[in-house]
Amino acid sequence: MSLLKDFTRQNSLTVLFLTRHLSSATTTNTSKLHDRYTFEPPSSLSPSPENPNESPTKPHRKQPKPKYKPPSSLDRTGKKPVRSSLPFDFRFSYTESSQTVRPIGLREPKYSPFGPDRIDREWTGVCAPAVDPKVKALDGEEDPKLEEERKKKREYVQGTPLTNAERKALVLQCERGKTKRQVNMGRDGLTHNMLTEIHNHWKYTEAVRIKCMGVPTVDMKNICTQLEDKTFGKVIFRHGGTLVLYRGRNYNPRKRPVIPIMLWKPHEPVYPRLIKTTIEGLSIEETKEMRKRGLAVPALTKLTKNGYYAYLVSMVRDAFLSSELVRIDCQGLERSDYKKIGCKLRDLVPCILVTFDKEQIVVWRGKDYKHLKGGYFLKDRESFDDDDDGGDLLMDEEEELNNTGL
């Protein structure tokens, strides 16, 4: 019995000795466990370090994560510049910029608003010309070959003209109650990125509604001309500042033109002053007296912000029949807006700008004024009917305009 107890006690001591030495044993072959009992501990109990110079008790360090780099549209590594075959110069605004007026300077370096190395055209500070990408001039006359190319391309896209029934069906589809597809045109007029928006709408529908407001509505004919010239579409209906632009019979959304996106609005160049110190043909004293009288003249009309101003030119022309000075109240408008309106009145009426003081536009008809009749401007409503094509099957024009909810 005593022998059994001694044997049990010896076994317990042996187990205790093994557990203590296993917890503190190293993986060397010269350990006591290996010498006495020829025992090798498993690798899980004592992992060998990857670096022999590093101590086994040192914790494993995680490699630091790479810093987050947000995606950038300016990163063009491995990408070629976008090539566009559109036969016209790229500008920020096509309705509010004139090719005949040459700027006298730039407000910033010639940074391309399309981003560095994104298109194969050089930015001149005013436009990205389509003819010669190495052109150094700021502005100039357009190449007549581009106009011919645009005309041929537009004739191909339009194909056979629409009949009255087809046109009126498209106009009814663009009513406010039937579709929410609309492109809004504000003080900047027809901008470059608006071309992409119009083509995006044409991908799903044949015609799109365009709402024009603010400064560009002074010359609605220019808006319609530039829309048809730059998009190769056709204006099939107009009611006030609302247009319906048709894409054409041969338009293929899969073969739409490549239009690079303009990433930011470039600064406008420096143009000659609109208001000079003295009016041409008058002395300094006569100019000061005319400005005082112009501010005292009763206002012809008061312009509202983001309004419809297509009636303004005809009103100024009629007012010049009875008065040599006309004042237009522009309180509440941005200074840049009523300066643009005055510039358009100077070219369209025509007239001489007197002052922009106190948020007023004062114009003078000049010494040798000849009244021009309004044959140049569009009517307030136009339906673009073709009288030779099935007019008896359609409603009258007046009835259609009253029923159209544009």
Side-chain angles (χ1 to χ4, degrees):
M1 192 68 178
S2 61
L3 292 174
L4 182 60
K5 290 181 179 180
D6 293 338
F7 182 76
T8 306
R9 186 178 180 182
Q10 187 178 2
N11 288 342
S12 62
L13 291 174
T14 304
V15 172
L16 181 61
F17 178 80
L18 287 174
T19 54
R20 288 180 179 177
H21 281 270
L22 283 176
S23 60
S24 62
T26 59
T27 58
T28 58
N29 296 329
T30 60
S31 63
K32 294 181 180 181
L33 289 176
H34 185 271
D35 294 342
R36 292 184 181 182
Y37 305 101
T38 64
F39 174 78
E40 295 181 1
S43 60
S44 60
L45 294 178
S46 57
S48 59
E50 295 180 0
N51 188 2
N53 298 327
E54 185 179 2
S55 61
T57 58
K58 190 174 182 180
H60 178 68
R61 291 184 180 179
K62 293 183 178 180
Q63 294 181 356
K65 294 183 179 179
K67 293 183 179 181
Y68 174 72
K69 184 179 180 181
S72 175
S73 58
L74 300 178
D75 187 10
R76 302 292 299 176
T77 55
K79 298 181 181 179
K80 295 182 179 180
V82 177
R83 179 176 178 82
S84 179
S85 60
L86 289 174
F88 55 83
D89 300 345
F90 291 161
R91 298 174 177 268
F92 173 73
S93 177
Y94 297 103
T95 57
E96 304 309 301
S97 60
S98 176
Q99 297 181 2
T100 58
V101 180
R102 183 184 179 88
I104 59 177
L106 300 176
R107 301 181 189 272
E108 64 176 359
K110 297 178 183 179
Y111 294 131
S112 175
F114 298 95
D117 302 329
R118 286 181 58 89
I119 61 174
D120 61 344
R121 301 187 184 187
E122 182 179 349
W123 182 256
T124 63
V126 178
C127 65
V131 179
D132 185 9
K134 300 296 182 182
V135 67
K136 300 299 181 184
L138 294 178
D139 207 345
E141 297 181 357
E142 189 180 19
D143 189 358
K145 295 182 180 179
L146 296 178
E147 186 176 358
E148 296 179 2
E149 186 177 352
R150 290 199 302 270
K151 185 178 180 181
K152 291 180 181 179
K153 190 169 184 179
R154 183 171 176 269
E155 290 177 354
Y156 169 75
V157 172
Q158 288 299 313
T160 308
L162 292 173
T163 63
N164 285 348
E166 291 174 336
R167 183 196 59 79
K168 293 186 177 182
L170 290 174
V171 171
L172 292 177
Q173 291 177 5
C174 293
E175 290 183 358
R176 292 180 182 176
K178 294 185 179 180
T179 181
K180 294 184 179 180
R181 295 187 178 277
Q182 176 173 303
V183 178
N184 295 321
M185 184 183 297
R187 62 161 59 97
D188 292 329
L190 177 62
T191 60
H192 179 79
N193 290 345
M194 198 177 293
L195 302 179
T196 303
E197 189 176 356
I198 292 174
H199 282 281
N200 290 340
H201 284 291
W202 279 348
K203 184 178 179 181
Y204 303 101
T205 182
E206 294 183 88
V208 61
R209 185 174 67 242
I210 301 176
K211 181 68 175 178
C212 306
M213 299 173 290
V215 180
T217 59
V218 176
D219 190 1
M220 287 299 299
K221 183 176 182 179
N222 183 38
I223 293 178
C224 297
T225 302
Q226 293 296 332
L227 279 172
E228 294 181 348
D229 187 52
K230 299 302 184 293
T231 63
F232 311 116
K234 181 177 177 60
V235 178
I236 60 174
F237 182 82
R238 188 181 74 86
H239 180 196
T242 303
L243 310 173
V244 176
L245 188 64
Y246 172 61
R247 67 182 186 182
R249 290 188 186 273
N250 300 329
Y251 179 83
N252 188 356
R254 298 181 180 179
K255 297 181 180 180
R256 56 184 287 182
V258 178
I259 305 176
I261 299 296
M262 191 171 286
L263 301 181
W264 63 81
K265 179 180 178 180
H267 288 282
E268 293 184 359
V270 182
Y271 289 99
R273 295 186 59 179
L274 295 176
I275 305 295
K276 298 183 179 180
T277 306
T278 57
I279 299 175
E280 186 177 358
L282 300 179
S283 63
I284 296 178
E285 297 298 329
E286 291 175 342
T287 301
K288 290 182 179 179
E289 182 64 25
M290 181 170 292
R291 286 172 180 165
K292 289 181 180 180
R293 289 194 296 114
L295 293 174
V297 170
L300 177 65
T301 183
K302 178 177 173 58
L303 301 182
T304 58
K305 190 174 182 180
N306 295 329
Y308 177 67
Y309 309 141
Y311 57 87
L312 197 57
V313 174
S314 59
M315 288 182 65
V316 174
R317 284 182 177 178
D318 295 341
F320 277 158
L321 295 176
S322 58
S323 176
E324 63 175 356
L325 289 173
V326 173
R327 178 171 68 91
I328 302 171
D329 189 359
C330 302
Q331 290 185 359
L333 271 68
E334 298 286 341
R335 183 172 179 81
S336 61
D337 288 354
Y338 58 78
K339 276 190 172 183
K340 291 179 181 178
I341 293 175
C343 183
K344 290 177 181 290
L345 292 177
R346 180 195 63 181
D347 299 334
L348 298 177
V349 172
C351 59
I352 300 173
L353 295 174
V354 177
T355 183
F356 288 129
D357 293 343
K358 300 179 180 180
E359 298 183 348
Q360 309 292 319
I361 299 177
V362 179
V363 293
W364 179 44
R365 67 183 182 184
K367 295 181 179 180
D368 301 327
Y369 175 73
K370 296 181 180 180
H371 179 68
L372 299 178
K373 296 183 179 180
Y376 172 81
F377 302 96
L378 299 176
K379 301 177 182 178
D380 186 48
R381 289 181 175 182
E382 286 189 322
S383 59
F384 301 91
D385 275 337
D386 186 5
D387 297 335
D388 298 333
D389 184 23
D392 54 342
L393 300 178
L394 304 174
M395 65 179 76
D396 295 333
E397 178 181 351
E398 193 67 29
E399 182 182 356
E400 179 202 2
L401 293 174
N402 293 332
N403 296 337
T404 303
L406 291 174

